[in-house]
Amino acid sequence: MQLFVTGPPRSGMTMVTQFLNHHGNIKIFDEIDLLQVDRYGESVIGTLQAFLLERGVYQDYRRRAGETADPALVLRTLMGEIAGPGVIWGEKNPRYATQLAALQRSFPEAAVLFVLRDPREVVNSCLVHRESPYRTPMDFWIKDSVAEALALVQSSLEPLEADDADLVVLRYEDFAGRPTATLDAALHRWSLTFSDSAVSLAHSAPETVGDHQFSRDGVALPWKVGNLSPLRQAPTIRDRVDAGDRVWGQVETLARRFGYD
């Protein structure tokens, strides 16, 4: 079985993934672009290629994928070997929120944990770091206007409005307040339970290409600092960026549509 974690960027997916990885039978990787197999088959590139090269299995993947009409099956087999016997493995990737059909094609047995957070908080978080000197084109979620951030969040939430029954929805606010109980409720169908001791831990970064995605050139990224500290169970209150922008009214409407008053 595979487990993928997705949702709008800045919804708390990384922290949820860090908690999941405290379970001895779960290993969720961080944005290694497994879904490239749906587009490129045996000739995967970029992040996924680098991931397979680091683990010494890229040539094996190319050879085995070239001998079959189903490269995704080869990738699933290799990932199972990397994760270890009996381990539920998967990936956290916010981009998959808009690519669920492709995800289902390549990983038909996968479960999808969709992290939902108050859209007002998500939109604001997409704006807070727009002036950061560490911003690069890979930080696709950092936006320059409320309208741009809203468009990103709306597109990411479309699967929920389609009422996709295959998604397991986890509200981040519930998770932050009662992390282990919320994960237990979300994943009870697989008889997975989580230790309360995980709540007090400082969480390590999920495995990815290279060291992790929490720093660049040895400098901690400002939007990842909180992921290396214990979970804040009380919400952080931030002033709204561009508070006078009328588009915030549309953000409020979106939030109400998903049950946030």
Side-chain angles (χ1 to χ4, degrees), residues 3-199:
L3 176 61
F4 288 85
V5 182
T6 193
R10 308 304 295 164
S11 292
M13 283 173 287
T14 301
M15 185 62 80
V16 170
T17 297
Q18 289 172 283
F19 266 78
L20 288 170
N21 282 342
H22 277 298
H23 194 287
N25 293 327
I26 296 178
K27 189 173 185 65
I28 308 298
F29 298 90
D30 193 5
E31 298 185 35
I32 57 174
D33 291 348
L34 289 171
L35 199 49
Q36 276 201 19
V37 71
D38 184 71
R39 181 176 181 182
Y40 296 109
E42 67 182 270
S43 303
V44 295
I45 60 174
T47 304
L48 180 54
Q49 181 188 47
F51 176 84
L52 297 175
L53 282 168
E54 282 185 357
R55 282 144 190 85
V57 297
Y58 176 66
Q59 294 303 329
D60 187 28
Y61 169 74
R62 288 292 305 270
R63 178 184 59 79
R64 292 162 64 178
E67 296 171 351
T68 178
D70 189 2
L73 174 59
V74 176
L75 182 61
R76 294 196 300 270
T77 301
L78 275 176
M79 289 301 300
E81 294 169 359
I82 291 170
V87 173
I88 296 170
W89 58 267
E91 178 188 358
K92 177 225 98 181
N93 199 319
R95 290 181 175 88
Y96 294 170
T98 58
Q99 302 176 56
L100 293 178
L103 192 66
Q104 178 65 27
R105 282 195 302 271
S106 294
F107 302 92
E109 298 179 358
V112 178
L113 186 63
F114 195 103
V115 181
L116 173 64
R117 185 183 181 191
D118 188 332
R120 295 167 296 193
E121 295 299 320
V122 177
V123 167
N124 207 49
S125 189
C126 289
L127 298 169
V128 166
H129 301 287
R130 63 188 180 186
E131 304 297 335
S132 173
Y134 302 107
R135 178 183 180 181
T136 71
M138 74 176 66
D139 304 310
F140 73 99
W141 53 269
I142 299 180
K143 300 301 182 184
D144 294 309
S145 70
V146 181
E148 290 176 340
L150 173 60
L152 173 65
V153 175
Q154 284 177 318
S155 64
S156 298
L157 290 175
E158 284 179 1
L160 297 189
E161 299 202 284
D163 194 24
D164 191 325
D166 292 331
L167 298 177
V168 178
V169 179
L170 182 149
R171 286 187 181 263
Y172 182 76
E173 294 79 9
D174 295 340
F175 166 77
R178 301 176 62 218
T180 54
T182 304
L183 288 174
D184 284 347
L187 303 178
H188 71 278
R189 69 178 73 176
W190 301 291
S191 301
L192 296 173
T193 57
F194 294 81
S195 168
D196 286 332
S197 63
V199 176

Side-chain angles (χ1 to χ4, degrees), residues 230-246:
L231 175 66
R232 293 192 194 99
Q233 294 184 273
T236 301
I237 306 300
R238 287 195 180 110
D239 292 335
R240 281 190 181 176
V241 177
D242 297 342
D245 193 319
R246 292 183 178 181

